[in-house]
Amino acid sequence: MSGDRRLDRLSLNQETIRQWSLPELAEGCAAAGVPGVGLWRAPVRAYGVEAAARLVRAAGLTVTSLCRGGFFTAVDPAERAAALDDNRAAIDEAATLGTGTLVLVSGGLPTGSRDLTGARERIADALAEVSPYAAERGVRLAIEPLHPMYAADRCVVSTLAQALDLAERFPAERVGVVVDSYHLWWDDTVAAQIARAGAGGRIAAFQLADWITPLPAGVLLGRGQLGDGSIDLRWFRERVDAAGYDGPIEVEIFNPALWERDGAEVLAEVAGRYVSLVLPEPSPSPVPSGPPDPAG
């Protein structure tokens, strides 16, 4: 599909084809005509942040997001200070990579705590500390709500409304939100919240994965390939577009079955399903209104 203009907004998150090295990712996306990549900090750091930035630029690709910052909910002062320092490092890495979006997984409940409200307030406190630092470096913090099954250990922000309630305490150019189909598809208020996010200029990233069952043990690695599950992916894209977002559409799938396959085959499948299941349906060919003119 190299050169296919239908892929102009497509971005491949690095974890979707985890079996590829960073050079393989850059080469594979460039060859397939996929213009964007979403990167993760651990493999980027292992390769070298500045080297990764040069590699991606040389391939003609755009880094659409860096994942992840966050984990802001610690109560212990030393743990909180370490989290803030780590987020400043993540912001620096995002700036070096040339992406304006740092995705935040906000953090779960501290051990022994049942105080969701208090945990969310600590997220707001942390955002107040690190968002000016991010703004100085041209990086926007993007709060990603995660499905409620992750509230205890990963993210006490479970709905787009909760993410917006936090983000709206800060200027829109500093703090936005992530709309991820996998985490939000179940919420019957999500259409209204996407519209709210768009009206406030808060949509910083849009990610896609499908919901498949049964969930695996641990639930983290159970995201489905586009079209394999229960989510109306085109519906999500239509709502996000209608809200005014015209940026990258990043496919982020954590699935060991995909990691066992040939990476180029997986990427071709992602691109094909993106075109058929996410983009607008092609208009039907016009039906002639009468018999053909015998005179030609």
Side-chain angles (χ1 to χ4, degrees), residues 44-295:
V44 166
R45 281 180 154 186
Y47 188 81
V49 179
E50 292 184 358
R54 291 192 297 269
L55 175 74
V56 173
R57 283 197 301 269
L61 304 175
T62 298
V63 180
T64 57
S65 71
L66 179 65
C67 198
R68 54 180 163 66
F71 286 85
F72 291 133
T73 54
V75 175
D76 177 77
E79 291 180 9
R80 184 181 190 288
L84 294 173
D85 286 345
D86 184 62
N87 276 271
R88 294 185 189 99
I91 290 162
D92 291 339
E93 292 160 17
T96 299
L97 292 167
T99 181
T101 303
L102 176 64
V103 175
L104 303 181
V105 176
S106 297
L109 288 172
T111 302
S113 174
R114 294 174 176 81
D115 183 7
L116 285 167
T117 301
R120 292 179 187 132
E121 282 304 308
R122 288 192 294 278
I123 295 167
D125 292 343
L127 290 170
E129 291 206 36
V130 299
S131 62
Y133 186 89
E136 290 171 1
R137 287 151 182 79
V139 175
R140 190 185 196 191
L141 305 178
I143 303 169
E144 181 171 16
L146 268 58
H147 190 280
M149 65 185 174
Y150 298 110
D153 61 343
R154 289 185 177 274
C155 189
V156 296
V157 180
S158 301
T159 67
L160 192 54
Q162 290 168 356
L164 287 166
D165 287 346
L166 286 166
E168 287 168 355
R169 302 188 192 190
F170 306 93
E173 66 272 14
R174 293 193 178 190
V175 183
V177 297
V178 180
V179 176
D180 187 322
S181 63
Y182 181 78
H183 294 300
L184 301 175
W185 74 279
W186 57 275
D187 184 352
D188 62 1
T189 73
V190 71
Q193 297 304 322
I194 290 172
R196 172 186 168 190
R202 297 281 175 177
I203 302 177
F206 176 37
Q207 297 180 331
L208 294 177
D210 216 334
W211 183 277
I212 55 174
T213 52
L215 296 174
V219 305
L220 185 62
L221 305 183
R223 299 190 186 201
Q225 171 65 286
L226 307 184
D228 281 357
S230 306
I231 302 176
D232 187 340
L233 300 166
R234 182 174 287 115
W235 181 95
F236 264 91
R237 196 268 310 154
E238 290 171 346
R239 297 307 178 277
V240 170
D241 283 2
Y245 178 81
D246 59 1
I249 301 174
E250 189 174 305
V251 177
E252 182 187 57
I253 304 169
F254 311 150
N255 190 306
L258 294 183
W259 300 338
E260 293 173 359
R261 293 171 53 191
D262 175 74
E265 177 187 282
V266 174
L267 180 53
E269 185 175 270
V270 166
R273 295 194 184 194
Y274 168 82
V275 169
S276 63
L277 299 173
V278 178
L279 295 186
E281 293 184 271
S283 301
S285 301
V287 178
S289 57
D293 183 349

